[in-house]
Amino acid sequence: MTDATQQGPGRDAGAGVLPDGTAIEAADIAASPPQRALVLHRQLDKVWRDLPGWRGFFTSVNHGTIGLRFMATSFVFFAIGGVLAMMIRAQLATRDGAFLDVELYNQIFTMHGSIMMFLFAIPLLEGLALWLLPKILGARDMAFPRLSALGYFCYLFGGTVIVLSLLFGVAPDGGWFMYTPLTSRTYSPGINADIWLLGVTFVEISAMAAAVEITVTILRCRAAHMPLTKMPLMAWYLLGTSVMMLLGFPPLILGSILLEVERAFGWPFFDVARGGSPLLWQHLFWLFGHPEVYIIFLPAAGALSTIIPILSRNTILGYGAIVAAVIGLVFLSFGLWVHHMFTVGIPHMALAFFSAASALVAVPTAIQIFAWIGTMYEGRVTLRLPMLYVMGFFATFVMGGLTGVMLAMVPFNWQAHDTHFVVAHLHYVLVGGFVFPMLAAVSYWMPLISGRWRVAGLGEAAFWLILIGFHGTFFIMHLTGLLGMPRRVATYPGDPEWEWLNLISSIFGMVQAAGFALFAFDIVMQWLFGRRSWRNPWKAPTLDWAMPLPAPSYNFASLPGPRQPDADSILPLARGEGLLPGAPRGWRETLVVEA
């Protein structure tokens, strides 16, 4: 059943009803008579476009604009984090590490981890969701547009505070996980930790706003012909992600507030001498921190489930099994956090439980991987640039998953804990399970964003540099970890056996950095000089390609109904033969459905 949701210019969507208050079945909705497409475009663009200049920057609530801002800002932070990573590799290339002093090195590696986890990964998936969801669901906007805008400005403020602290020499230096008592007032007396707590809290508020927005949009703003059981897999992945964010982020917000209250007012939440517990911080942090790994992975997996069938000329294998695997991951991800704490004195029964849960989480992940492989095997794979990044995902993420199962075993974890082996595993999982799929997603949807086709050759060269550079950097780090090199050391003068391995990692790290720089250059060249792309260049049967290129501010001139199920319906939709054609009342309008 459908209800009309009406918005005045610049007003948020709210739940409404049909003018006569009557609920009707989707199958009973008649097609609208055809109209002139250009007239509809002008009518809708006048209502939906952003205001020009700075006023438009601060007042825009269009989901496409906000989503692109999230993604662009996250890539800027990614570049900053990448520069910091190269400084880390330069420091560790030799034993004596004269490039940075210890204090600055601590700030650099803390900022690198904080930027990549809080300012790049989470905001990038939020931006992709905000930009893409209405397009794949057959809607014109998200459920609460102003909430999206609020989330972006919270993210921009929090991220700017964190990054500027580095320029003023007061960056956080306690690690991206900010363990107590290291970050208590006693051992970190400056404002370094306070800046981290302030900035991250704003970023987490932004993430909570996005989670609410995504959840309600998926449940209420789908096309009239789209029940939950038939919506695109990307929407299922994002629904699981948003639910995990709603449950996983409050513990970190609570922990950061408690730590700041302790630092500012001397309250004893984490002080053992006064009855507190440092382990309370670890539990609160990792109760957020391990679901976050799957919060990052699920949208990337949704992109894979979208791209692989289309570039394999096949339908996805095992839709129901994949949805069940997503739901399983959502539940299991909240039973793993203690595997980051195996060495702190956890009771043996708890060790066994969390070890088993950490190994069990590989099952739903494997279901998805086998479904993707089966889809490719049954189809005709086209090795275009997005598919190359998909292959990079398989080659990288599977290795990271295998080392993850190794670390889930308590005896091995005790040996490898806090060594470079864990650093290598983390990067294999995050770069393999998030960065490679997101690079594939950017390559795949870039024609829809820019309306242009990329410059041939640049993207492929960037891919090979990234792939070779990454494995050359982090595969070697497994070996340095097994040789006993601990994390977070700035020099290692007494251990010459680590030096040549670190030098190799640093050299390949520079190769990887060159690949990311070339990828960014390729995107800029495509945006500025790429030739105009033809409609639906991938021949995709999905609603996101059932619109002109680049995607207009309103997405669809008329919304898809029961008779417009796929991307072949672009002409009827453009002529207004769908639902809610144009904007005759001068309002921003979309449809809502029953959850």
Side-chain angles (χ1 to χ4, degrees):
M1 289 185 290
T2 63
D3 298 320
T5 294
Q6 300 181 347
Q7 297 175 254
R11 290 169 54 188
D12 289 349
V17 295
L18 289 171
D20 61 358
T22 304
I24 57 174
E25 297 297 327
D28 297 330
I29 301 174
S32 301
Q35 304 177 50
R36 293 183 61 185
L38 187 58
V39 173
L40 290 175
H41 167 74
R42 290 172 176 168
Q43 186 182 100
L44 283 158
D45 187 62
K46 181 180 179 181
V47 173
W48 285 89
R49 69 188 175 199
D50 298 326
L51 295 173
W54 286 104
R55 186 181 175 196
F57 178 81
F58 287 107
T59 60
S60 174
V61 293
N62 186 283
H63 79 95
T65 302
I66 301 299
L68 290 177
R69 285 180 188 172
F70 263 105
M71 290 190 281
T73 307
S74 69
F75 275 116
V76 170
F77 285 130
F78 179 70
I80 296 172
V83 171
L84 298 180
M86 292 304 96
M87 296 172 72
I88 295 171
R89 289 312 327 164
Q91 172 72 9
L92 296 179
T94 59
R95 274 184 285 170
D96 296 322
F99 186 69
L100 302 169
D101 61 44
V102 174
E103 181 181 357
L104 184 56
Y105 180 79
N106 289 342
Q107 293 185 19
I108 294 295
F109 79 71
T110 299
M111 287 292 293
H112 169 71
S114 299
I115 287 173
M116 292 305 191
M117 298 300 288
F118 295 109
L119 305 185
F120 167 64
I122 296 293
L124 180 58
L125 71 87
E126 293 168 17
L128 180 64
L130 294 175
W131 178 80
L132 184 62
L133 261 179
K135 295 174 174 61
I136 64 174
L137 295 177
R140 288 199 179 119
D141 208 347
M142 301 291 284
F144 307 119
R146 288 179 179 171
L147 189 60
S148 301
L150 172 67
Y152 174 74
F153 285 111
C154 285
Y155 160 55
L156 183 63
F157 175 77
T160 302
V161 167
I162 293 173
V163 170
L164 287 181
S165 68
L166 190 61
L167 298 180
F168 292 99
V170 290
D173 55 4
W176 75 276
F177 33 75
M178 297 293 284
Y179 279 172
T180 58
L182 182 63
T183 53
S184 66
R185 182 65 71 183
T186 302
Y187 299 102
S188 184
I191 64 171
N192 305 57
D194 301 292
I195 288 174
W196 188 93
L197 293 167
L198 172 67
V200 165
T201 299
F202 272 93
V203 173
E204 298 304 309
I205 291 171
S206 167
M208 292 293 290
V212 172
E213 176 83 299
I214 293 167
T215 303
V216 177
T217 297
I218 293 173
L219 294 179
R220 299 303 308 273
C221 296
R222 303 186 308 278
H225 69 280
M226 190 183 290
L228 283 172
T229 52
K230 293 183 180 179
M231 69 180 181
L233 278 172
M234 184 68 173
W236 274 109
Y237 279 103
L238 290 174
L239 181 60
T241 301
S242 62
V243 171
M244 293 168 69
M245 292 166 71
L246 289 171
L247 297 175
F249 281 31
L252 179 61
I253 297 174
L254 173 62
S256 62
I257 292 173
L258 294 181
L259 181 54
E260 184 55 36
V261 169
E262 178 183 285
R263 289 177 55 83
F265 304 108
W267 291 24
F269 297 114
F270 309 108
D271 184 358
V272 175
R274 294 183 292 163
S277 171
L279 289 186
L280 173 60
W281 171 265
Q282 291 196 34
H283 280 294
L284 290 173
F285 185 88
W286 290 119
L287 189 55
F288 145 83
H290 204 85
E292 186 194 25
V293 174
Y294 295 98
I295 289 170
I296 292 171
F297 170 67
L298 283 183
L304 294 171
S305 294
T306 302
I307 295 169
I308 288 174
I310 291 168
L311 294 187
S312 299
R313 299 292 178 261
N314 194 12
T315 55
I316 191 72
L317 178 67
Y319 177 99
I322 292 176
V323 172
V326 171
I327 296 172
L329 269 178
V330 170
F331 280 99
L332 288 173
S333 67
F334 286 95
L336 313 177
W337 80 91
V338 175
H339 77 212
H340 294 272
M341 304 167 59
F342 278 169
T343 61
V344 302
I346 298 294
H348 283 276
M349 181 63 72
L351 288 178
F353 170 83
F354 286 102
S355 177
S358 301
L360 184 62
V361 79
V363 175
T365 306
I367 290 173
Q368 296 168 76
I369 290 176
F370 283 120
W372 296 328
I373 293 174
T375 301
M376 297 167 65
Y377 181 79
E378 294 289 337
R380 302 188 310 277
V381 175
T382 305
L383 281 178
R384 311 288 283 275
L385 182 60
M387 185 57 77
L388 289 179
Y389 283 111
V390 171
M391 296 299 183
F393 155 80
F394 281 117
T396 307
F397 183 74
V398 171
M399 294 177 64
L402 292 175
T403 56
V405 174
M406 294 168 64
L407 289 169
M409 303 299 109
V410 176
F412 181 82
N413 187 290
W414 281 350
Q415 301 302 315
H417 183 76
D418 254 357
T419 68
H420 271 219
F421 188 93
V422 177
V423 179
H425 158 71
L426 175 69
H427 283 82
Y428 263 82
V429 170
L430 294 182
V431 175
F434 181 75
V435 176
F436 275 110
M438 283 302 177
L439 295 181
V442 170
S443 303
Y444 176 77
W445 277 297
M446 194 62 194
L448 192 58
I449 296 173
S450 66
R452 297 179 181 274
W453 195 247
R454 63 186 188 84
V455 179
L458 290 178
E460 288 80 1
F463 163 76
W464 288 110
L465 286 174
I466 293 170
L467 183 70
I468 295 169
F470 173 82
H471 285 277
T473 302
F474 293 102
F475 185 83
I476 298 293
M477 290 177 70
H478 290 101
L479 304 181
T480 55
L482 291 174
L483 288 174
M485 183 173 180
R487 307 166 69 175
R488 302 182 290 278
V489 294
T491 59
Y492 46 97
D495 299 280
E497 69 275 13
W498 300 340
E499 186 170 31
W500 69 275
L501 292 172
N502 275 299
L503 179 60
I504 293 173
S505 286
S506 296
I507 292 171
F508 277 102
M510 303 303 171
V511 173
Q512 179 186 205
F516 282 116
L518 187 58
F519 177 86
F521 180 70
D522 180 34
I523 295 300
V524 173
M525 291 295 290
Q526 179 176 351
W527 189 281
L528 297 178
F529 304 111
R531 58 183 171 83
R532 298 291 298 180
S533 176
W534 56 95
R535 181 181 72 84
N536 196 1
W538 309 111
K539 307 299 181 188
T542 50
L543 282 172
D544 46 325
W545 293 100
M547 59 184 69
L549 302 185
S553 56
Y554 52 85
N555 294 335
F556 304 97
S558 59
L559 299 179
R563 295 169 180 80
Q564 294 91 21
D566 54 38
D568 292 332
S569 61
I570 181 171
L571 293 179
L573 292 179
R575 292 194 298 258
E577 296 178 30
L579 309 176
L580 282 180
R585 289 167 288 275
W587 292 339
R588 294 184 176 186
E589 296 178 304
T590 190
L591 292 177
V592 299
V593 298
E594 287 185 341

